[in-house]
Amino acid sequence: MVERREITTRLKRVEGQIRGLQRMVDEERDCETILVQLMAARSALDRVGLLIVSNYIDDCFPGEDPKAKERALRPLQFILSRYSPLLESERPFSEEE
């Protein structure tokens, strides 16, 4: 389980990225640079969201047998992994499983 402090730290990092993006727009930086930074910020925010969901799942199934828990959560994990198209390569499960 990820501690609240780690999630808060990650959110503060995203906040810094967003402020950097605002500065880049104000300074009229080139579009490619802004878009790369925007994608990085979005990816970081998506990862925080998935950590929060993961914590929620762990809290909801605290005493379950690990194998039974994994089987019960497999469909949910697949759906949640689709939450972010940027995490495509990190999807732990496929639809066929």
Side-chain angles (χ1 to χ4, degrees), residues 70 73-74 77-78 81 90-95 97:
E70 182 179 337
L73 294 176
R74 187 174 296 270
Q77 288 172 324
F78 172 73
S81 71
E90 297 180 16
R91 289 184 184 167
F93 307 105
S94 66
E95 287 181 272
E97 292 183 4

Side-chain angles (χ1 to χ4, degrees), residues 3 8 13 16 33 58 63 69-70 72 74 85:
E3 292 187 23
T8 301
R13 194 174 309 137
T33 303
D58 286 343
K69 181 178 178 179
E70 182 179 337
R74 187 174 296 270

Side-chain angles (χ1 to χ4, degrees), residues 9-97:
T9 299
R10 287 174 182 243
L11 286 170
K12 287 179 181 180
R13 194 174 309 137
V14 171
E15 180 183 23
Q17 288 176 304
I18 299 302
R19 289 178 197 268
L21 279 162
Q22 290 170 331
R23 247 187 333 273
M24 292 170 76
V25 169
D26 289 342
E27 295 169 358
E28 297 182 5
R29 301 276 300 270
D30 66 283
C31 290
E32 183 179 351
T33 303
I34 293 171
L35 288 173
V36 166
Q37 291 304 313
L38 182 63
M39 289 176 63
R42 178 178 172 180
S43 178
L45 189 57
D46 287 344
R47 289 175 196 274
V48 171
L50 291 172
L51 284 174
I52 290 169
V53 168
S54 177
N55 278 356
Y56 175 77
I57 290 169
D58 286 343
D59 286 346
C60 288
F61 298 95
E64 295 285 327
D65 169 55
K67 294 278 188 192
K69 181 178 178 179
E70 182 179 337
R71 281 191 304 276
L73 294 176
R74 187 174 296 270
L76 178 59
Q77 288 172 324
F78 172 73
I79 291 167
L80 293 174
S81 71
R82 298 186 80 182
Y83 167 76
S84 171
L86 297 176
L87 299 177
E88 178 90 22
S89 63
E90 297 180 16
R91 289 184 184 167
F93 307 105
S94 66
E95 287 181 272
E96 292 81 38
E97 292 183 4

